[in-house]
Amino acid sequence: MESEQILDSLISKGEEFLYVEWDSAYSYLKKADSLARELEEDNKLGKIANLFGTLYYVEGDYVKSIQYYSDASEIFNRTQDESGLGYALNGRGLIYLSQNQLERAIEIFNRCIEISKKLGDTYGIGKNYFNRSIGESDLGQYEKAHQSINLALEYLKDHQERVIYTMTLNRAGKIYFDEGKLNESESYYKKVLEYPGQLSNWANAFAYSGLAEVEMAKGNVRKSIELAKIAEDYVYKTRGFWDKGRVSNILMTAYEEIGNYESALKHAKLYKAYSDSLYNENKNAEISHLQLLVADADNQNLLQEKELAESSAKSNKKFTIILTIALIGLIIGFILYGRVIKQKEKINQDLLEKQKEVQIQNEKLGAINEEKNKLFSILSHDLKAPINSIKQLLELEEKGLLDEDEQKTARKLLIKQVSDTDEMLRKLLRWSHAQLDGIITNRTPTDLSAIVREQVSQLDYQIISKNIKIDYSSIFEDVQILVDPQQLRIILQNCLQNSIKFSNPDSQIKLWNSVNETDGFINLHIQDEGIGISESKMEEISSQVVRVKSTEGTQKEKGTGLGLLLVRQFMEKNQGLLVIHSKPNEGTEIILSFEKINIPVGKLES
C-alpha cells in the first residue's frame, strides 16, 4: 500500500513538472517507471509512458515521443483503458502536427474529443480543443481556431490551476497575432502574465516572446528587444528547440533592424542551429511515421483476431444451446449437432483462409515499406547537404555580410552548387525510379577516378567554408572497378561529407589508391586530419548493423547517423570491404576496397 502511494506521488510530481522543469519531470517519471515495473502495475506504466511521450514532445524529440505513445497504446489496448488510449491517441495527433499533416491531426483530435466526452473528462476535452486549434490556425482557418480555443477555455475553467490553462491563453494570443490582430493578441499575452497562480517557465517564455513579436510588428524595435531578452532568460530554462528558435529569430530580426549586425549574426546562427536540429528530428519523425502506418496495420490484425475470438465464442454458445436441445430429442439433437459441426468447420476454414491472405498481404506490405523507407532515406539524406549549402549562401548574401568580391564568388559557387545538385537529383531520380520494386545492385565496369573527381567537385562550398584542401592527385587513372555507379556515388558522397564535417578548418583531406596483393582488390584511402573517433564510438560503429547516434562536427554540424549505415550496406551489396582507422585528435582513415577488372576506359558505361 505504501509503495503504491509513493508511485502515485512520483507520477503526480512528474506531471506537475512536465512543462515547468524538464530534468525534474524526467527524474520523477524515471523513478516512477522503475517502481511501477516492480509492482507490475500495467495501467500506471501506461500512464508513465504517456507522460514520457509528452515530455519528449515538449523537448522536440518526436521520435522518442511517438515510441512512448506507441508503448502506452499497446498497454492500454491490453487493459482496455479508454482514458489512457485517448491520451496516447492525442499524442499521435501532436506528432502529425509536427509533421505538418494538419488535416490528419484534426481528425485525430476530433476522435479524442468524442472519447473524452464519453468519459466525462472536461480536462481532456479542453486539452483536445486546444490542440485542434493549433492545426486550424496553421491551416489559416482562424474562425474555427477561435471557436476551438474558446471551447477549450470554457472546459478548462475548472482547471485553471493546471499548466494547460495558461498554455491556452497563450495560444489564443498567437492565433490573434497570426491573424494580424495585434491589440487582441497583446491582451491575451498580458492575461497570462497577470495570472494569479504559479507560471511555468514555458508560459513566461511564450508570453514574453509573443509580446516581443507584437512590439516588432508595431515598429517598437527596442521594446521588442527588451521583451525578447526577458523571454530568452525563461526559454533557456526549458528544453524546447521551437521556443529557443522563436526567440532567436525575434532577436536576429530586431538587431538587424537597428543595425547591430554582430548581435544579429550571433542570433542568426543560433536560430539556424535550432532550426537544423528540429529539421533533423522531424526527418527522423517522418521515417517513424511510416513505421507507425505499419503499426496501425498490426493493430488491425489485433482487431481481426478479436473478431475471430468473438465469432468463435458465439459459435460455442450456439453449440451449447444445440446440445441442450439434443437432450430433449436425441435423434433431432444428433442431426442438429452434425449440421452445426459442419457449419462451424466451414466458417473456421473460411476465416483461416482469409487470415492467411491478410498475413501474406501484410508481409508483402512490410517488405515494400522497408525498401521504400530506405529509398526515401537515401534521397533525403543525399539532398540535405547541397540544399543546406545553397541556403547558407543565400542567407549570407541576404543579410549583407558579403562584400562585392565575396558576392561574386558566392554567386559562382551558388550557380555551380545548383547545377551540381540538379545533376545529382536527376541521377538519384533515375536510379530511384529503377528501384521502386526494391533496391537492386547492378554492378558494372566503372571508372573510379572519374566518380571521385565528380564527387569532390560537388563539395566546393563545404570545402571553401572550412578552408579545407582535398588532395586526390595520387588517385590511379584509368582504374576500373566492378560496382553499382550510383551506389558508389552515395558511398563516396557520405564518406567525403563525414571527413569534411569532422575536419578542423585549414586542414587537408588526402585520397589515394593502393592494391591488395592478396586478392587484387583496389583500395581507396580517405584520410583527414580531424578530431578522430573515440574508442567507445569505434566499438559502437563496428558492433552495430543499425544507425549509430550522430556526433556534432567541428563547427556544430548536425547529422542523422544514416550516412555510415548507407555506406556499410552498399559496400556489402557491392561485395566490397569497409575498414576505419581512427584515434581521437589524430584524424580518421577510411579504406574502401573494390573488385578490380581489366577493361579499357573507352568501353565503360557511365
Side-chain angles (χ1 to χ4, degrees):
M1 190 67 178
E2 182 179 353
S3 296
E4 291 179 357
Q5 291 176 346
I6 294 173
L7 176 59
D8 289 337
S9 175
L10 289 170
I11 294 174
S12 177
K13 283 290 187 182
E15 191 170 9
E16 178 185 343
F17 283 94
L18 207 57
Y19 299 96
V20 179
E21 174 57 47
W22 197 98
D23 290 329
S24 297
Y26 177 84
S27 176
Y28 284 120
L29 292 176
K30 198 68 177 175
K31 293 176 182 177
D33 183 77
S34 298
L35 184 55
R37 292 182 188 279
E38 289 179 8
L39 299 176
E40 298 181 351
E41 290 275 1
D42 279 356
N43 274 350
K44 297 293 175 65
L45 281 170
K47 184 172 183 179
I48 293 166
N50 269 332
L51 293 174
F52 266 125
T54 302
L55 187 64
Y56 280 108
Y57 174 80
V58 170
E59 186 186 25
D61 191 340
Y62 302 129
V63 176
K64 286 187 178 178
S65 178
I66 193 61
Q67 288 172 347
Y68 276 109
Y69 284 134
S70 296
D71 290 344
S73 294
E74 182 181 345
I75 292 171
F76 290 128
N77 270 317
R78 187 169 65 250
T79 63
Q80 295 297 299
D81 186 316
E82 288 192 46
S83 176
L85 281 171
Y87 192 112
L89 184 62
N90 179 78
R92 287 191 176 182
L94 293 174
I95 300 301
Y96 279 117
L97 280 182
S98 73
Q99 296 170 319
N100 207 32
Q101 298 191 28
L102 305 177
E103 292 87 352
R104 179 71 175 124
I106 291 172
E107 289 177 7
I108 287 182
F109 294 137
N110 284 334
R111 287 168 57 193
C112 292
I113 289 169
E114 294 304 316
I115 294 173
S116 296
K117 284 183 177 180
K118 179 181 175 182
L119 297 171
D121 179 8
T122 56
Y123 173 74
I125 299 170
K127 180 174 68 174
N128 299 144
Y129 274 121
F130 164 80
N131 289 331
R132 191 176 80 176
S133 73
I134 299 174
E136 293 167 338
S137 176
D138 288 347
L139 284 171
Q141 300 172 355
Y142 297 119
E143 184 175 348
K144 289 184 178 180
H146 284 306
Q147 291 175 355
S148 294
I149 210 71
N150 288 335
L151 285 169
L153 289 169
E154 178 65 24
Y155 279 103
L156 293 171
K157 65 183 179 182
D158 294 329
H159 305 281
Q160 295 187 24
E161 78 285 355
R162 303 185 76 161
V163 175
I164 187 69
Y165 184 74
T166 53
M167 290 171 67
T168 307
L169 291 174
N170 267 326
R171 175 51 56 179
K174 186 69 169 67
I175 294 171
Y176 276 118
F177 178 80
D178 291 342
E179 198 177 4
K181 296 180 179 180
L182 303 183
N183 292 333
E184 291 86 345
S185 175
E186 183 179 22
S187 173
Y188 271 98
Y189 287 136
K190 287 183 177 179
K191 283 183 182 180
V192 175
L193 297 179
E194 293 167 359
Y195 175 70
Q198 180 68 32
L199 274 180
S200 68
N201 291 326
W202 184 91
N204 275 308
F206 198 106
Y208 277 112
S209 296
L211 289 173
E213 287 178 335
V214 170
E215 293 298 335
M216 177 63 71
K218 289 181 177 181
N220 301 327
V221 180
R222 295 197 178 277
K223 182 64 175 176
S224 175
I225 293 174
E226 178 184 339
L227 292 166
K229 295 295 285 184
I230 297 174
E232 191 176 36
D233 290 337
Y234 284 109
V235 82
Y236 280 97
K237 297 176 184 176
T238 72
R239 293 183 63 162
F241 285 119
W242 185 88
D243 301 289
K244 293 178 180 179
R246 183 188 184 196
V247 172
S248 298
N249 188 35
I250 295 169
L251 288 170
M252 173 190 74
T253 306
Y255 280 126
E256 185 176 13
E257 187 72 21
I258 64 174
N260 187 344
Y261 297 114
E262 183 178 353
S263 295
L265 179 59
K266 169 188 171 184
H267 287 90
K269 290 179 179 179
L270 288 172
Y271 175 65
K272 182 179 183 302
Y274 297 135
S275 299
D276 284 350
S277 179
L278 277 175
Y279 175 84
N280 290 335
E281 294 297 329
N282 284 334
K283 280 301 174 186
N284 287 334
E286 288 174 14
I287 297 170
S288 296
H289 175 61
L290 296 175
Q291 297 169 344
L292 177 60
L293 295 179
V294 179
D296 285 340
D298 290 339
N299 288 336
Q300 290 297 322
N301 285 337
L302 291 174
L303 183 60
Q304 289 178 355
E305 291 175 3
K306 182 180 177 183
E307 290 174 351
L308 284 171
E310 290 174 351
S311 175
S312 179
K314 289 178 181 178
S315 296
N316 287 333
K317 185 177 180 181
K318 290 180 181 179
F319 176 71
T320 303
I321 295 172
I322 292 169
L323 279 179
T324 304
I325 296 173
L327 293 174
I328 299 171
L330 187 58
I331 297 175
I332 297 174
F334 275 117
I335 295 172
L336 292 175
Y337 177 80
R339 289 180 180 177
V340 170
I341 289 296
K342 290 181 180 179
Q343 183 181 11
K344 182 179 177 183
E345 288 177 352
K346 186 177 184 303
I347 291 173
N348 287 338
Q349 184 64 32
D350 290 343
L351 289 174
L352 286 172
E353 290 178 359
K354 290 180 180 179
Q355 187 178 15
K356 288 179 181 178
E357 291 177 3
V358 171
Q359 184 177 357
I360 292 171
Q361 290 174 354
N362 283 340
E363 289 174 355
K364 290 181 179 178
L365 177 62
I368 292 172
N369 274 342
E370 184 178 351
E371 292 297 319
K372 295 299 184 294
N373 289 347
K374 187 179 293 183
L375 195 58
F376 294 152
S377 298
I378 293 168
L379 289 172
S380 62
H381 185 272
D382 283 7
L383 287 175
K384 179 186 171 186
I387 289 175
N388 276 344
S389 299
I390 294 169
K391 179 183 174 186
Q392 290 169 3
L393 281 171
L394 290 174
E395 285 176 346
L396 290 172
E397 185 170 7
E398 182 182 5
K399 297 182 188 308
L401 300 177
L402 304 175
D403 58 29
E404 186 174 349
D405 290 338
E406 288 173 333
Q407 287 180 9
K408 290 179 180 179
T409 303
R411 289 192 189 101
K412 290 180 180 179
L413 281 173
L414 186 58
I415 292 170
K416 185 177 185 303
Q417 188 70 59
V418 170
S419 176
D420 290 343
T421 303
D422 178 57
E423 178 62 22
M424 180 178 70
L425 179 58
R426 283 202 299 269
K427 290 178 180 177
L428 280 172
L429 288 176
R430 286 199 302 269
W431 178 73
S432 63
H433 180 72
Q435 313 294 312
L436 286 178
D437 292 325
I439 295 178
I440 300 170
T441 299
N442 182 21
R443 296 204 301 158
T444 59
T446 303
D447 186 345
L448 175 61
S449 60
I451 293 186
V452 168
R453 288 194 296 271
E454 170 193 309
Q455 292 304 306
V456 172
S457 70
Q458 293 178 1
L459 299 170
D460 285 353
Y461 176 75
Q462 294 96 317
I463 295 170
I464 293 173
S465 65
K466 278 191 168 183
N467 194 27
I468 290 174
K469 178 183 178 183
I470 297 185
D471 179 8
Y472 57 93
S473 59
S474 299
I475 293 292
F476 294 164
E477 293 293 335
D478 302 336
V479 172
Q480 296 92 50
I481 59 174
L482 195 59
V483 70
D484 185 306
Q486 189 55 45
Q487 291 181 6
L488 175 60
R489 290 183 176 96
I490 294 171
I491 291 168
L492 291 178
Q493 184 183 62
N494 282 289
C495 289
L496 290 169
Q497 285 178 355
N498 270 352
S499 292
I500 294 172
K501 175 181 176 182
F502 296 109
S503 284
N504 296 308
D506 305 316
S507 63
Q508 175 177 268
I509 298 173
K510 187 174 181 180
L511 284 72
W512 73 94
N513 289 125
S514 65
V515 178
N516 191 327
E517 298 298 338
T518 304
D519 52 22
F521 272 40
I522 289 293
N523 301 323
L524 174 61
H525 302 257
I526 304 173
Q527 172 76 57
D528 64 56
E529 300 173 350
I531 59 177
I533 306 173
S534 67
E535 184 177 345
S536 60
K537 197 68 175 179
M538 284 294 293
E539 290 178 358
E540 181 183 0
I541 291 170
S542 61
S543 64
Q544 293 191 11
V545 293
V546 296
R547 181 170 58 196
V548 298
K549 185 176 181 181
S550 177
T551 305
E552 287 187 348
T554 55
Q555 291 186 346
K556 304 298 182 183
E557 298 100 324
K558 302 290 184 180
T560 64
L562 182 62
L564 187 58
L565 177 62
L566 293 176
V567 171
R568 184 160 43 213
Q569 290 181 346
F570 283 147
M571 287 299 293
E572 289 176 358
K573 285 178 176 291
N574 285 276
Q575 300 180 27
L577 298 174
L578 168 66
V579 177
I580 301 175
H581 298 304
S582 183
K583 290 184 179 180
N585 302 317
E586 294 185 12
T588 300
E589 180 184 359
I590 299 174
I591 304 174
L592 306 170
S593 299
F594 302 98
E595 183 177 350
K596 180 186 177 183
I597 55 174
N598 297 312
I599 295 178
V601 179
K603 294 184 179 181
L604 294 181
E605 294 181 4
S606 61

